[in-house]
Amino acid sequence: MAGGQDVAGGCRAGLTARVYLAGPDVFLPDAEHWAGRKKSVCARYQLIGISPLDDLADEPAEWSTLPEWQRIALRNEAHIRSCAAVIANLTPFRSPSADVGTAYEIGFARALGRPVFAYSNVGDRFTRRTLDFATAHGGASASPGRIWRDADGMLVEQFGLTDNLMLEAAIHGSGGALALPETEAADRWADLATFERCVRLAAAALSA
Amino acid sequence: MAGGQDVAGGCRAGLTARVYLAGPDVFLPDAEHWAGRKKSVCARYQLIGISPLDDLADEPAEWSTLPEWQRIALRNEAHIRSCAAVIANLTPFRSPSADVGTAYEIGFARALGRPVFAYSNVGDRFTRRTLDFATAHGGASASPGRIWRDADGMLVEQFGLTDNLMLEAAIHGSGGALALPETEAADRWADLATFERCVRLAAAALSA
């Protein structure tokens, strides 16, 4: 793809590594502020946090004619290509699951072979959250084998995971790690304690 | 990654191409039946539909010790690697957006350079669906510039798209196409008319 820098996986050379900060944080009212806060946490662990809100150093001139939504997407993909790893916020977003843009970016990073680190500020398991959602939207019912389905008859994943199995398998399979809250977050969008634990795990893995 | 076949992008050699059928259809009560129906549609357009439910021809022996959720994920990733394109079902799933597993697979395919074709059986725009969801979950409000936010203050995307911009940009940027219903689907999980239009677009593009 055009517009990407080379991977700055500079840990081996003693440099800091670039990590892409995926998550619905970009939708927060003060998104730039929160991107800055997250970058500060990264810097404390010798990582360079790259926000989806960041400009691209070498954005191709031909992108200027594209609609904004396409430019944002191409920029995010270029940012991911330029990073050594992704740190994704899986906090449920308008559903029992993570934000779909974040899920997309995890898949993108995974196919590029980048390790995926992730965290959530909600500690409930995916099955519990999906059953709660289904109960509030038409109901849920279980077969004799205790296989749960929602009101549309759609299966509820029951693997004891934090989110859809593709996301969690990508984290484990890529050499990443998942951080979950030790105590319930007071504010699911503002609390950075679990994010910081995730950054610490990423920094340790990337410098290993 | 282990376990993948080479890409069977055989159109240029006059063969049929393999296409991965991403979507929450795997959660349907009779998922194998619907996978078969979709494969039959693909076959009418000289495409080989590959379902996430399909076995992998050359599954590595070492996967047998992994938990089921990891095997499923690795198998799906290998299926995508073995296909020339993805045809994704973006019909909203337990949220205003597509299924996150499907979003993950679109990102995965995009990073591999595969064209992403997609369809939805719901024609409403993403902004409309998100505002409906927000209204039912605490409310939505607009600033003077008509920038809508949900009850958490989180921004509502207003680009006139069908889903999150990363998904739609991947479809356009990869040389794929998006099919939307011409009339409202009678059953959002059973109606295959828009899926068939999407398959026709994929077949035309892959044989070009």
Side-chain angles (χ1 to χ4, degrees), chain A residues 116-137:
Chain A
V116 176
F117 298 86
Y119 74 100
S120 173
N121 274 346
V122 174
D124 291 343
R125 306 279 83 187
F126 185 41
T127 303
R128 177 73 270 151
R129 299 198 311 273
T130 307
L131 286 176
D132 287 348
F133 185 88
T135 301
H137 295 83

Side-chain angles (χ1 to χ4, degrees), chain A residues 27 94 104 110 154-155, chain B residues 27 94 104 110 150 155:
Chain A
F27 301 123
R94 296 177 185 152
Y104 174 92
R110 167 70 167 148
M154 302 293 267
L155 191 70
Chain B
F27 301 123
R94 297 177 185 152
Y104 174 92
R110 167 70 167 148
D150 68 16
L155 191 70

Side-chain angles (χ1 to χ4, degrees), chain A residues 182-205:
Chain A
E182 292 173 340
T183 57
E184 199 183 344
D187 181 327
R188 69 164 67 186
W189 301 120
D191 191 322
L192 295 184
T194 307
F195 169 73
E196 179 159 353
R197 284 180 34 236
C198 189
V199 170
R200 198 182 308 137
L201 291 167

Side-chain angles (χ1 to χ4, degrees), chain A residues 65-131:
Chain A
T65 59
L66 295 175
E68 188 187 0
W69 59 273
Q70 280 184 299
R71 278 207 315 279
I72 294 170
L74 289 172
R75 198 181 297 143
N76 290 355
E77 291 178 352
H79 281 319
I80 296 170
R81 287 179 190 277
S82 80
C83 285
V86 164
I87 299 182
N89 180 355
L90 299 186
T91 304
F93 182 65
R94 296 177 185 152
S95 76
S97 274
D99 163 51
V100 292
T102 304
Y104 174 92
E105 293 176 338
I106 292 173
F108 192 89
R110 167 70 167 148
L112 296 178
R114 305 289 195 278
V116 176
F117 298 86
Y119 74 100
S120 173
N121 274 346
V122 174
D124 291 343
R125 306 279 83 187
F126 185 41
T127 303
R128 177 73 270 151
R129 299 198 311 273
T130 307
L131 286 176

